[in-house]
Amino acid sequence: MKIKLHELADAFAVSETHTGYVDLEKGKILLSTSSISEKADADNFEQDDEAQMDQSIMWEEDWQRYVVIPNLGDYDFRELFGDFISSKHVDDDLRSRLQEVYDQNMREPYCKKLMKEMKLTAEWEEFLHKYFMKVAREWCEENMIDFE
């Protein structure tokens, strides 16, 4: 069974906040999530949280069918930001300002705010998606998981 590479890339993109699994039997990506509505009370949250933990444990125990997706949420932002600056996504006029920020070793929130002000958010998201697609492809190849 083949998994959809773009779905795996999307799971990698949220892997810091959601544990993901590849269901090798069905070729599906499964995400472990916990949601809190505005009306939820503490008891309901604990029940939801407990049910989610039980689901994750079931997936972990059946490791031959469910392969855990690694957490990529802690990717090296600075390295990716540097690659983004030199990419085709950034024109020469904006590149020098971004390079200044990079050279000053500014933190991620500042860089993201600057990209938003420069209206580069969509370009950044596209760049990140390509990064996660590349990582997903490499991960599938390393783990001998068929993909399309």
Side-chain angles (χ1 to χ4, degrees):
M1 184 72 41
K2 291 184 179 186
I3 64 167
K4 292 183 175 23
L5 198 60
H6 69 89
E7 289 178 4
L8 180 59
D10 291 345
F12 276 139
V14 298
S15 63
E16 184 173 25
T17 55
H18 304 290
T19 303
Y21 299 85
V22 174
D23 180 341
L24 296 175
E25 261 182 38
K26 295 186 177 180
K28 297 212 178 276
I29 306 301
L30 307 168
L31 291 179
S32 168
T33 60
S34 194
S35 61
I36 305 172
S37 70
E38 290 179 17
K39 297 179 184 176
D41 59 29
D43 291 337
N44 286 341
F45 175 69
E46 286 178 19
Q47 289 172 354
D48 290 345
D49 197 36
E50 179 125 357
Q52 192 57 57
M53 284 189 284
D54 289 343
Q55 180 67 63
S56 293
I57 289 169
M58 190 264 319
W59 288 336
E60 291 282 339
E61 288 176 346
D62 194 357
W63 56 269
Q64 290 177 320
R65 176 175 176 182
Y66 301 99
V67 179
V68 69
I69 296 171
N71 178 353
L72 293 184
D74 56 356
Y75 59 84
D76 186 345
F77 174 81
R78 182 164 168 71
E79 182 181 335
L80 282 178
F81 185 60
D83 291 345
F84 176 70
I85 292 169
S86 60
S87 74
K88 67 175 181 63
H89 293 70
V90 180
D91 67 35
D92 291 336
D93 295 333
L94 300 176
R95 184 170 285 117
S96 62
R97 177 66 183 121
L98 291 173
Q99 188 65 47
E100 263 179 51
V101 169
Y102 180 82
D103 292 342
Q104 293 173 7
N105 204 20
M106 298 302 246
R107 301 268 184 218
E108 183 175 346
Y110 182 84
C111 297
K112 286 185 174 181
K113 182 179 180 195
L114 181 61
M115 285 189 286
K116 184 176 181 178
E117 289 170 2
M118 298 173 119
K119 300 191 183 330
L120 289 172
T121 304
E123 289 83 353
W124 171 250
E125 293 298 324
E126 180 183 337
F127 179 82
L128 270 184
H129 180 71
K130 287 181 182 178
Y131 166 75
F132 286 123
M133 286 291 288
K134 176 181 169 266
V135 171
R137 178 181 305 278
E138 290 170 355
W139 185 80
C140 283
E141 290 169 354
E142 286 173 14
N143 289 281
M144 296 179 287
I145 296 174
D146 292 331
F147 60 89
E148 56 187 6

